[in-house]
Amino acid sequence: MRRYWYRRILIMVLVFTVSVGGGYCIIDSKKKMFRQEVSAGTSEETMVIPGGMPIGIYLETKGVMVLGTDKITGIDGMKQEPSAHKVKAGDYITAINHQEIKDKSQLISAVKMLDSDDVVLEIRRNNEKIQVKTEAVKAGADEYKLGIWVRDNAQGLGTVTFLDAQSRFGALGHGIHDVDTNELLRISGGTLYTTSIKDIQKGADGVPGGMEGIIIYNNYNILGSITKNTDAGIFGVIDRIDTLFSDQTPVRVAKKEEIKEGPATIRCAVEGKVREYDVEITGIDFTTPEVNKGIILKVTDKELLKVTGGIVQGMSGSPILQEGKIIGAVTHVFVNNPAKGYGIFIENMLDQ
């Protein structure tokens, strides 16, 4: 009798184990199939949150950018230009006598510490690292000068274009260039700040308008970090998403081939809050050598024309939407017709 009960209990345990284990395997298998279906479904269409909000931008360069060279009057009264033909505009000084240089203040300090006129500069020129030998001119009892005009960091105002599912943003739709050399700034990093629009200079034929903003560069106003400055825009990560994106409704990303000539809208905050304004796509160029001029558009919204005259500086990065999808971002204005401008394909920005 005891063996009989042992046998029944053993059979019940086996049945329970097989039932539960088999059921778990089936559920786990279904979960894997579900994940695959979701993955396959979402991979066909990319979703991003469109922007349109103004942002403050601060970029830190990799080293110190050379603007040009100049003559120096030495302690002997003679004028010299020691760095002429040795460094050129667009070079980046990254070290002096093997001492790393990150910004202009470090370069000034390093020059003040010189105790001889022999100087070796480490230069980055067109992605190539080279060493340049030059001479410092003694301009005073304990003062040396190199005769090089330099600039390090840059700041400005723009518009954020999109935010993706990994909290990465894209903005401007074009790169930030040095105002003197027109070279794309090579950066070590940067910071995104909150800003508010103070005034708008209306654009006119031959005179591009602009947005003036208030940017307070302190920790309280930091929104995120900038990691890349490219011809397709600036990119990085937003830390305070809720502060910048009050509306977090995602939209689908349109492929280039889906864009059509005709009605569209742009999102911007020229009147204090983000809203959409009517524009017309008048041209689409898939073969343009300039990555940020594939779309040609015209502002048709009477209210926007009244406030800005069309497209003004600071609107770069304003998302362009058509039929519920984001197709690109505003990048440039026609100087002779501020109602017209260029845009970049959103695909070109997402490639970054």
Side-chain angles (χ1 to χ4, degrees):
M1 180 67 70
R2 186 174 295 175
R3 288 182 180 177
Y4 173 76
W5 281 105
Y6 281 155
R7 195 173 298 165
R8 287 188 64 181
I9 291 171
L10 182 60
I11 292 170
M12 289 172 65
V13 170
L14 287 172
V15 170
F16 177 80
T17 303
V18 171
S19 299
V20 174
Y24 176 80
C25 291
I26 293 169
I27 293 169
D28 188 58
S29 177
K30 285 185 176 180
K31 281 184 178 179
K32 288 180 179 178
M33 289 175 63
F34 178 72
R35 290 194 200 102
Q36 289 174 355
E37 288 173 3
V38 171
S39 177
T42 56
S43 65
E44 294 175 359
E45 291 187 319
T46 304
M47 305 280 284
V48 298
I49 300 173
M53 298 75 73
I55 47 173
I57 299 163
Y58 188 85
L59 298 183
E60 299 171 3
T61 59
K62 289 183 177 179
V64 179
M65 187 181 202
V66 174
L67 302 179
T69 61
D70 202 358
K71 291 182 179 180
I72 302 167
T73 302
I75 196 170
D76 57 1
M78 301 292 290
K79 288 190 175 183
Q80 304 176 56
E81 193 171 356
S83 300
H85 312 298
K86 296 177 182 178
V87 299
K88 61 181 184 179
D91 285 350
Y92 283 83
I93 301 173
T94 58
I96 177 170
N97 290 342
H98 310 295
Q99 177 184 339
E100 185 181 14
I101 299 297
K102 292 183 178 180
D103 54 40
K104 189 164 61 176
S105 62
Q106 287 188 353
L107 178 62
I108 292 171
S109 296
V111 172
K112 284 183 178 179
M113 296 296 290
L114 291 174
D115 54 12
S116 73
D117 56 5
D118 293 325
V119 176
V120 176
L121 299 176
E122 291 182 23
I123 301 287
R124 188 175 64 254
R125 179 181 296 167
N126 299 327
N127 293 323
E128 182 183 359
K129 292 182 179 180
I130 60 175
Q131 287 192 345
V132 173
K133 291 184 178 180
T134 186
E135 293 181 359
V137 174
K138 196 168 186 178
D142 297 306
E143 182 183 15
Y144 285 92
K145 292 184 178 180
L146 298 176
I148 303 174
W149 289 100
V150 297
R151 180 188 280 112
D152 50 4
N153 302 326
Q155 57 254 11
L157 178 76
T159 300
V160 66
T161 306
F162 68 84
L163 181 76
D164 72 8
Q166 285 75 46
S167 301
R168 297 175 302 194
F169 77 88
L172 298 186
H174 62 69
I176 296 178
H177 293 70
D178 181 78
V179 294
D180 293 302
T181 65
N182 202 34
E183 294 281 338
L184 183 71
L185 289 176
R186 301 181 184 276
I187 67 168
S188 59
T191 309
L192 215 61
Y193 291 89
T194 58
T195 185
S196 57
I197 303 303
K198 178 184 177 183
D199 191 22
I200 294 176
Q201 300 298 322
K202 193 173 180 179
D205 291 354
V207 183
M211 295 164 57
E212 295 180 7
I214 300 173
I215 307 170
I216 300 175
Y217 296 102
N218 60 26
N219 291 337
Y220 178 78
N221 290 307
I222 291 176
L223 292 169
S225 57
I226 302 168
T227 56
K228 296 176 72 175
N229 178 37
T230 76
D231 285 324
I234 62 170
F235 303 89
V237 177
I238 300 288
D239 298 320
R240 297 168 60 197
I241 295 173
D242 292 339
T243 301
L244 186 60
F245 287 83
S246 57
D247 181 1
Q248 298 178 18
T249 306
V251 299
R252 290 182 173 84
V253 170
K255 297 179 180 178
K256 297 176 185 177
E257 296 75 18
E258 296 180 69
I259 305 171
K260 299 179 291 187
E261 293 186 2
T265 60
I266 61 173
R267 283 170 57 102
C268 57
V270 295
E271 295 181 275
K273 62 179 181 179
V274 177
R275 56 164 287 194
E276 293 187 16
Y277 296 92
D278 293 329
V279 298
E280 182 180 358
I281 306 300
T282 60
I284 305 165
D285 189 350
F286 297 120
T287 60
T288 176
E290 297 182 81
V291 69
N292 46 43
K293 291 186 177 180
I295 299 172
I296 304 172
L297 59 97
K298 179 182 179 181
V299 175
T300 57
D301 195 287
K302 292 182 180 179
E303 185 63 27
L304 186 58
L305 289 170
K306 180 181 177 181
V307 174
T308 66
I311 299 168
V312 296
Q313 295 175 359
M315 285 173 61
S316 293
S318 298
I320 309 171
L321 297 104
Q322 188 177 62
E323 296 181 352
K325 296 183 179 182
I326 184 169
I327 65 172
V330 176
T331 57
H332 298 82
V333 61
F334 286 16
V335 176
N336 295 325
N337 187 348
K340 294 183 178 180
Y342 289 106
I344 183 173
F345 297 122
I346 192 65
E347 284 186 304
N348 290 354
M349 292 187 73
L350 290 172
D351 283 345
Q352 298 297 325

